[in-house]
Amino acid sequence: MALHRLTAVIFKEFKQLLRDPRTLAVVLGAPLVFIVSFGMAYGGEIKHVDIALANEDRELFSWYVVQEVSSSKVFKISEYVDSFTGARNLVENGRVYAAIVIPSGFSKSISMLSSGTIYLVITHSSPAISRAVKAEANIVMARLQAKLLNILLKQLGLEALSSSGKTGIQPVKLDIAEISTIGSEIGMFTFYSPLITGLTLQNAALTLAAISVAREKERRTIEQLIMTPITRFEFLMGKFIVYFIFSMLITFISFEILINFFSLVLMGSLIDIVFLNIIFCIGSLTAGIAISTFSKTQMQAIEISTFILLPSAVFCGAIIPPEATPEYARVIIYATPLYHYFDSMINIMVKGMTLTDMPNHLIYLACYIAVTFIFSFKTFTKRIG
Amino acid sequence: MLSPIVSIVDLTKKFNGLVAVNRLNLTIYRGEIFGFLGPNGAGKTTTIRMICGLIKPTSGSINVAGVDAVRNAEALRSKIGYMAQSFCLYEDLTVEENLKFYSSIYGISGSERGKRIQELLELVRLKEFRNVLAGNLSGGLKQRLALAVAMVHKPEILILDEPTAGIDPPLRREFWRFFKEINREGITIIITTHYMDESENCDRIGLISNGVLIAVDTPTNLKRKAYGGDVVDVTVKGSRNALAEFQRIGSIISVNGSNGLWSVRVAVKNSEETLPVIPTFTEGVGLKLVGVRQVQVSMEDAFVKLVGG
């Protein structure tokens, strides 16, 4: 392989891509619109989270808590239960995202000038929601703290102290009980995020690569190029590198938008996520190049790509999980590269697993790369007949 | 001394059973301008694509500049400069960027590259268009750029597939000036064309029809071959019956005229020998000589004659 030829192809491809505003708009612009509209529809500010409330105390001070929680815009009390156990069950069953429990003796403790504890039971099923719930619970606590303190001091005739704020009395304390099992309901936004990033990445990489060689055939530029000493590897690699950079850039921007503007939370390691995206990007590119090598025109390449992109969205396991499909259909899901990306991403993003915990997915994606790469190398020859 | 640069032996190419090139044998010599002449679909492009190693022949062998073009096409790349029938360069790159790209592909870099591009831009007179996107060039300018790209690595052989197709006659003449200029530097040029007139610019021509190489020779010799010699036109006054006597000096091609004034076209072995004896000949057969001239046979006539049998 000669470096000067490889770099010549890289520079050429960069220039061509930057001078082709239509392709850029389709490949770079469309995914961004897609990501932003997805974020606006499913992500963003969290309101009206279903929670359960258990008031075991039922004494004076507990009603202040109930009042304060009810007035929160983030919480929506959808279930009232009697006990901690009842509340906990609701959370575990996924009926509600969280529960606030006021244990018996709460008011008594406060009257005796010691702290009354409130429990927040919360599940990790949706990191974004649990984070929002925790934040809101703390805000509610702060309000309660001030309110209850005022009432206490009034009762004790020590109103003067309330303005100084230095009583040393902390009437309420928040105790957060986290339930780390995955509930049956992961937030829609979190669940579909890897599907969206996967689709965006796959679409950009596959389409870019698919039209690349086909365009050279359609415009006949390939005829001049195969008369030069350039090797197949240099030719395909030069294109590959440029499209890899573009596709990864799009993926990076997608994640940035989802995380910064729509509060997507990544539980697992960032390295695993980056690595997985790189692998999937390479696979999509080699698949695209494979399509390109046997397509005669760009139109043909795009048609074939569509036939791959559409079913892959349906069979990636996000719409129908493999467990819910009949045996024979499961094979299709397992054969879909996007499924392996999606499942790995869910495991990393939500469950905090690492790639080494799921070698099967990695092995499949590696095979996908190998097969498509060998195929494109075999199909693309430096002859025209 | 003529040294062969392309040797083709028994070359055959079939596409799905259809014979495109049939048992072609040919030697092209170093330093010549060799033209493949024939109508569209005759097999010219297929033949030169096989010479370039772009198409694998069904059978036969091709040796180009000492390299087996069938088995070792890659080794040919640096020896051949190729200009395809249609424009094959990047329309979204400028003239200079196309040249830079191809120079880099051939491993020409740094100041050498700049110098070479400068030379080529001067050769094909594209200097003022260097920053224009290739896609915005006119047809003739595109062809000039294609020629420059084909020349970028100083090839031994320049292969031009219908380089002047669709270009108007004054521009075609200009192109031939470029080709001759390049040829003078010792570069062998192999060219295909279906323009009969411009083929006369070649040193030698191979006539192709239906995949068969019918004749190979210099333009003058091909024309002679067509009629078995030179063609002379003799205008005489006299009796029609005496005209048959012309068979004694050659074969009669045609007789035109009336009322005792006749124009007889005769194919003779050698006009230089025949022309001086015509006055005596006509006097001997009782005809009055009005005029005599050698006819410039067009390549088209010769082609039709040779192909038609």
Side-chain angles (χ1 to χ4, degrees):
Chain A
M1 190 186 73
L3 207 60
H4 60 87
R5 287 201 288 264
L6 184 63
T7 44
V9 176
I10 292 174
F11 276 117
K12 182 211 95 180
E13 287 294 330
F14 256 119
K15 272 183 203 153
Q16 287 189 298
L17 198 54
L18 293 176
R19 281 180 195 166
D20 186 359
R22 264 174 297 179
T23 306
L24 269 188
V26 170
V27 173
L28 199 66
L32 296 185
V33 173
F34 183 43
I35 291 279
V36 171
S37 42
F38 166 72
M40 290 191 341
Y42 295 99
E45 204 185 335
I46 294 166
K47 276 184 186 171
H48 311 303
V49 178
D50 286 332
I51 63 161
L53 189 91
N55 191 353
E56 293 178 342
D57 185 51
R58 297 182 169 270
E59 296 289 328
L60 173 69
F61 288 117
S62 73
W63 299 117
Y64 284 106
V65 179
V66 175
Q67 188 193 12
E68 205 58 52
V69 172
S70 313
S71 68
S72 156
K73 276 182 184 156
V74 176
F75 298 140
K76 187 183 145 213
I77 305 171
S78 57
E79 306 268 353
Y80 288 92
V81 283
D82 298 328
S83 66
F84 183 91
T85 334
R88 197 194 151 95
N89 283 343
L90 285 176
V91 176
E92 276 180 345
N93 295 340
R95 296 267 299 278
V96 292
Y97 284 103
I100 287 174
V101 180
I102 311 160
S104 55
F106 172 76
S107 298
K108 209 173 175 185
S109 302
I110 295 174
S111 315
M112 292 168 75
L113 293 187
S114 95
S115 291
T117 304
I118 296 174
Y119 295 106
L120 174 69
V121 184
I122 195 163
T123 159
H124 268 317
S125 63
S126 164
I129 292 178
S130 75
R131 202 171 60 164
V133 165
K134 272 190 233 173
E136 181 65 9
N138 279 312
I139 293 167
V140 170
M141 278 309 115
R143 282 200 215 114
L144 268 174
Q145 204 79 269
K147 208 173 199 175
L148 295 181
L149 189 60
N150 261 335
I151 296 164
L152 266 180
L153 292 175
K154 236 182 220 169
Q155 279 183 351
L156 297 168
L158 294 168
E159 281 149 301
L161 272 174
S162 69
S163 53
S164 73
K166 283 179 185 168
T167 55
I169 303 169
Q170 205 186 5
V172 212
K173 204 170 76 185
L174 182 69
D175 203 341
I176 300 174
E178 296 187 17
I179 298 170
S180 57
T181 49
I182 298 299
S184 53
E185 283 190 38
I186 301 177
M188 285 262 269
F189 176 68
T190 310
F191 183 75
Y192 284 120
S193 284
L195 171 66
I196 301 304
T197 57
L199 277 177
T200 310
L201 172 57
Q202 183 177 246
N203 188 52
L206 199 105
T207 315
L208 264 179
I211 58 178
S212 66
V213 184
R215 186 175 50 202
E216 300 244 11
K217 283 190 213 166
E218 190 177 306
R219 299 189 183 168
R220 313 188 70 161
T221 47
I222 194 89
E223 243 179 87
Q224 189 72 45
L225 205 57
I226 54 179
M227 281 305 298
T228 70
I230 197 164
T231 64
R232 283 184 290 172
F233 186 77
E234 289 156 357
F235 177 71
L236 296 178
M237 200 43 151
K239 287 179 176 295
F240 178 89
I241 290 172
V242 174
Y243 300 145
F244 177 77
I245 293 170
F246 265 85
S247 309
M248 285 311 289
L249 182 75
I250 292 161
T251 308
F252 176 75
I253 296 172
S254 305
F255 272 102
E256 277 298 303
I257 293 174
L258 291 178
I259 291 169
N260 290 331
F261 292 97
F262 303 112
S263 323
L264 177 70
V265 177
L266 308 174
M267 293 293 285
S269 106
L270 195 64
I271 295 168
D272 278 15
I273 290 173
V274 171
F275 186 73
L276 178 65
N277 277 279
I278 287 176
I279 295 287
F280 190 57
C281 180
I282 294 173
S284 306
L285 283 173
T286 49
I289 288 176
I291 292 169
S292 205
T293 51
F294 73 80
S295 306
K296 284 203 176 98
T297 61
Q298 296 184 75
M299 188 61 135
Q300 233 177 46
I302 287 171
E303 277 166 2
I304 299 169
S305 308
T306 312
F307 266 100
I308 291 179
L309 293 171
L310 273 183
S312 96
V314 176
F315 293 108
C316 71
I319 296 174
I320 333 148
E323 294 80 11
T325 46
E327 204 80 10
Y328 61 88
R330 227 175 274 183
V331 178
I332 305 174
I333 294 184
Y334 292 146
T336 305
L338 186 60
Y339 161 73
H340 297 273
Y341 170 87
F342 174 74
D343 201 51
S344 307
M345 276 297 280
I346 286 283
N347 287 344
I348 300 170
M349 270 178 52
V350 180
K351 302 182 190 168
M353 283 163 75
T354 61
L355 280 175
T356 44
D357 297 335
M358 37 193 169
N360 286 350
H361 288 324
L362 273 190
I363 291 168
Y364 177 84
L365 289 175
C367 292
Y368 173 49
I369 294 172
V371 169
T372 48
F373 180 78
I374 292 167
F375 179 85
S376 19
F377 215 68
K378 291 269 176 209
T379 325
F380 180 67
T381 56
K382 278 188 77 184
R383 289 193 194 268
I384 49 181
Chain B
M1 183 63 201
L2 292 175
S3 77
I5 195 161
V6 178
S7 310
I8 302 173
V9 180
D10 273 344
L11 185 68
T12 301
K13 177 70 189 178
K14 291 177 186 164
F15 291 110
N16 303 323
L18 217 89
V19 184
V21 174
N22 197 1
R23 296 182 70 90
L24 190 142
N25 288 282
L26 174 69
T27 305
I28 297 170
Y29 299 100
R30 201 174 280 276
E32 73 174 335
I33 300 183
F34 187 90
F36 283 108
L37 179 64
N40 290 327
K44 303 184 301 279
T45 299
T46 308
T47 305
I48 63 161
R49 279 182 171 174
M50 285 192 281
I51 296 174
C52 294
L54 286 180
I55 299 179
K56 216 175 177 133
T58 310
S59 64
S61 72
I62 311 166
N63 188 295
V64 180
V67 175
D68 184 339
V70 181
R71 291 215 190 96
N72 201 5
E74 280 307 300
L76 273 183
R77 302 294 176 232
S78 54
K79 296 174 189 275
I80 292 181
Y82 176 73
M83 182 173 160
Q85 197 164 351
S86 52
F87 187 67
C88 291
L89 301 174
Y90 296 101
E91 300 209 333
D92 40 8
L93 297 184
T94 67
V95 168
E96 196 169 6
E97 283 167 347
N98 268 297
L99 285 166
K100 274 184 181 169
F101 172 67
Y102 277 99
S103 333
S104 305
I105 292 291
Y106 284 105
I108 307 163
S109 58
S111 60
E112 197 197 335
R113 184 173 78 173
K115 218 180 106 205
R116 184 68 187 146
I117 290 174
Q118 198 65 28
E119 269 172 28
L120 290 167
L121 286 174
E122 269 166 37
L123 174 76
V124 299
R125 300 188 189 103
L126 271 179
K127 244 178 161 181
E128 62 265 46
F129 298 100
R130 64 195 308 159
N131 294 321
V132 177
L133 288 180
N136 295 339
L137 296 174
S138 69
L141 295 182
K142 275 184 183 168
Q143 292 296 84
R144 280 199 242 167
L145 174 60
L147 180 63
V149 166
M151 294 283 300
V152 88
H153 57 298
K154 298 186 176 164
E156 287 177 43
I157 310 169
L158 190 59
I159 295 181
L160 311 164
D161 191 5
E162 302 265 3
T164 53
I167 288 180
D168 49 55
L171 272 174
R172 265 159 56 192
R173 215 166 291 167
E174 190 188 10
F175 263 97
W176 275 98
R177 271 205 300 277
F178 292 144
F179 299 155
K180 298 229 156 145
E181 218 173 305
I182 292 163
N183 182 242
R184 265 197 295 279
E185 288 170 25
I187 296 170
T188 310
I189 296 180
I190 301 173
I191 192 165
T192 71
T193 180
H194 64 267
Y195 293 118
M196 307 287 170
D197 54 340
E198 75 172 17
S199 70
E200 298 194 41
N201 287 302
C202 299
D203 294 327
R204 286 197 308 147
I205 299 170
L207 293 185
I208 296 192
S209 175
N210 290 322
V212 179
L213 186 66
I214 290 164
V216 184
D217 217 322
T218 61
T220 323
N221 284 346
L222 276 180
K223 284 187 268 185
R224 287 181 152 205
K225 247 182 217 169
Y227 292 100
D230 294 325
V231 177
V232 291
D233 205 62
V234 188
T235 312
V236 288
K237 266 185 183 166
S239 149
R240 194 186 165 131
N241 297 335
L243 297 180
E245 295 296 328
F246 272 99
Q247 272 171 348
R248 276 163 46 198
I249 58 163
S251 59
I252 300 166
I253 300 167
S254 64
V255 176
N256 290 307
S258 58
N259 299 329
L261 182 67
W262 311 101
S263 167
V264 186
R265 190 162 280 198
V266 190
V268 298
K269 249 195 194 119
N270 190 335
S271 61
E272 281 171 37
E273 287 169 15
T274 312
L275 287 176
V277 302
I278 283 188
T280 12
F281 163 75
T282 46
E283 209 177 328
V285 297
L287 289 165
K288 188 168 185 276
L289 185 64
V290 176
V292 62
R293 64 185 177 94
Q294 183 172 351
V295 176
Q296 290 303 317
V297 179
S298 73
M299 203 61 215
E300 199 168 330
D301 290 337
F303 184 84
V304 171
K305 192 90 177 46
L306 285 167
V307 171

